Amino acid sequence: MSPSHPFRVLIHRDEILRRIHELAREVRADFGDEPPLLVAVIEGARTFARHLQQSLALPVVVHEIRASSYGAGTTSSGLVALGPSDGLDVAGRRLVLIEDIVDTGRTIAALRELFLARGAVECRVASLLSKPSRRVVEVDIDYLGFEIPDEFVIGFGMDFAGRYREIGEVVVYDEGQAAAYGT
Ligand code: PRP
């Protein structure tokens, strides 16, 4: 089947889904009968979180927290804005924060700090992607899908200025090719 977009595919959908199944198995093995509190960093992580939740096949809901650092650009501003949905009671809980991508590491570091300060006993990180070459803050990613080079990726929930989240695989954004994708 030919892709429904003009962009270069970095990670094909079947590869992504396979890897998510493996990660879910790791989470299940680590947490046993006491599933962790799952917290997805929206918007970007929604798609990954939904698939991870389904693969886990446990009675768990995914809570959401809003954090944004890119705004409408292609590089992280380093500013992390926490949204209003962060009133979650995490005291005494073990958490898995779910991210689509760890870039500078600032977002996930800020969120870990926040939840640990609120009494979470543990705050692990699951991220579909990581760009280690961009790291500013050191963070441990307990469940990592793929390491990728320093390219601006979209699709599988990830956007450029609010667009392209619907593309079903991880692709590389290109301005020239974007013109062929419609408005
Ligand atoms: C992206 C991504 C992470 C963050 C990673 O969010 O979803 O939350 O940037 O960057 P960092 O490691 O440099 O902090 P974005 O700001 O694009 O918001 P969005 O998820 O709503 O698209």
Side-chain angles (χ1 to χ4, degrees):
M1 200 174 83
S2 59
S4 54
H5 59 77
F7 303 107
R8 175 164 61 88
V9 179
L10 193 64
I11 312 171
H12 288 276
R13 185 174 178 83
D14 55 350
E15 207 182 333
I16 298 170
L17 299 183
R18 210 167 35 237
R19 185 73 187 121
I20 293 174
H21 275 294
E22 290 171 0
L23 295 180
R25 250 202 317 271
E26 287 177 33
V27 174
R28 284 177 68 113
D30 288 352
F31 286 89
D33 290 338
E34 279 190 62
L37 202 55
L38 301 179
V39 182
V41 186
I42 59 171
E43 302 285 329
R46 267 206 182 116
T47 306
F48 172 45
R50 195 177 61 242
H51 282 86
L52 188 64
Q53 180 189 31
Q54 287 168 356
S55 294
L56 276 171
L58 292 168
V60 284
V61 296
V62 175
H63 302 274
E64 295 185 339
I65 189 163
R66 186 178 302 279
S68 196
S69 63
Y70 279 98
T74 59
T75 54
S76 172
S77 66
L79 300 174
V80 175
L82 300 178
S85 59
D86 63 9
L88 195 61
D89 183 10
V90 298
R93 299 297 306 269
R94 299 174 77 194
L95 263 64
V96 173
L97 278 174
I98 305 175
E99 263 291 21
D100 49 333
I101 186 164
V102 176
D103 188 338
T104 65
R106 287 186 174 115
T107 303
I108 214 67
L111 290 176
R112 279 196 80 239
E113 200 175 311
L114 175 87
F115 286 125
L116 291 172
R118 287 183 182 176
V121 291
E122 186 182 14
C123 191
R124 296 192 181 193
V125 175
S127 185
L128 181 64
L129 305 175
S130 171
K131 278 186 195 173
S133 62
R134 299 255 316 149
R135 207 71 92 242
V136 171
V137 180
E138 202 177 314
V139 289
D140 288 332
I141 304 175
D142 304 279
Y143 309 102
L144 173 63
F146 305 89
E147 279 193 2
I148 62 166
D150 187 12
E151 298 195 271
F152 193 83
V153 290
I154 52 174
F156 209 78
M158 291 172 286
D159 75 313
F160 171 64
R163 301 188 59 197
Y164 311 112
R165 293 192 198 277
E166 71 285 0
I167 293 174
E169 49 201 346
V170 176
V171 305
V172 179
Y173 178 76
D174 176 275
E175 206 179 346
Q177 292 169 337
Y181 190 67
T183 54

